[in-house]
Amino acid sequence: MMTEGYRRHGMVLLTALLLGMAADVATRSGAHAQSAPDKLAYGKHLSQECTTCHRRDGADKGIPSIIGLKEDFFVTTMKFYQTGARTNQTMNSVAQALNEEQLQALAAYFATLKSEAQAGKSTKGKK
Ligand code: HEC
């Protein structure tokens, strides 16, 4: 009985540890205002606004893929849109609606994603 319970607890700990490691890799170069898992969850939530145009699978059908972009490139690019240094009507208004925290969360989240091309056949069949 004791052993069984201990083993289950161990599994939970291991899962938490793995999630933590993945999040850490993703946010290593970012600011750390939020704890990493919260930040990624927030980024995922916010990304729904983006993936209506930027495909979740990383395919470029006229709109550039933003899957797996490096965090600093992502943030810099979005700041160009915010300030108008880079002009695109859609992205200027999308970027201007985001605050710093949201930008960081999105950067962290998209950096963790892999396009199907990068991931190879493992995601074949998924949408
Ligand atoms: C209505 C469609 C649309 C939505 C929604 C949208 N984008 Fe974009 N995005 C575009 C288009 C079109 C471009 C290419 C613009 C250009 O040429 O500068 C672009 C470009 C970008 C780029 C630059 C990519 C590169 O390789 O230079 C980034 C980063 C980006 N978008 C992030 C986002 C994020 C983050 C969101 C959600 C908060 C978002 N976009 C929502 C249409 C959209």
Side-chain angles (χ1 to χ4, degrees):
M1 286 301 201
M2 287 290 283
T3 345
E4 192 61 30
Y6 181 76
R7 236 185 250 143
R8 280 214 188 148
H9 191 58
M11 281 292 275
V12 173
L13 279 180
L14 182 64
T15 310
L17 188 70
L18 288 174
L19 285 173
M21 277 164 53
D24 189 48
V25 168
T27 54
R28 207 178 289 156
S29 62
H32 292 269
Q34 280 180 301
S35 81
D38 285 356
K39 190 175 174 182
L40 285 181
Y42 189 40
K44 183 173 186 179
H45 171 72
L46 294 168
S47 74
Q48 291 165 353
E49 185 201 338
C50 320
T51 50
T52 53
C53 291
H54 297 279
R55 292 174 53 111
R56 181 74 182 65
D57 64 7
D60 180 348
K61 304 246 160 98
I63 294 175
S65 167
I66 57 169
I67 299 303
L69 290 183
K70 290 225 161 51
E71 279 184 69
D72 38 359
F73 174 85
F74 189 102
V75 170
T76 307
T77 303
M78 292 300 278
K79 291 201 164 153
F80 284 155
Y81 284 128
Q82 282 181 336
T83 61
R86 182 166 166 181
T87 48
N88 175 268
Q89 220 167 36
T90 305
M91 283 309 300
N92 288 144
S93 56
V94 166
Q96 278 157 12
L98 298 169
N99 65 28
E100 180 69 23
E101 188 192 7
Q102 292 171 326
L103 196 50
Q104 295 290 342
L106 282 163
Y109 175 66
F110 277 110
T112 64
L113 300 183
K114 278 200 174 79
S115 75
E116 293 199 350
Q118 289 167 326
K121 295 188 173 67
S122 61
T123 53
K124 204 176 157 192
K126 283 199 200 148
K127 225 184 143 215

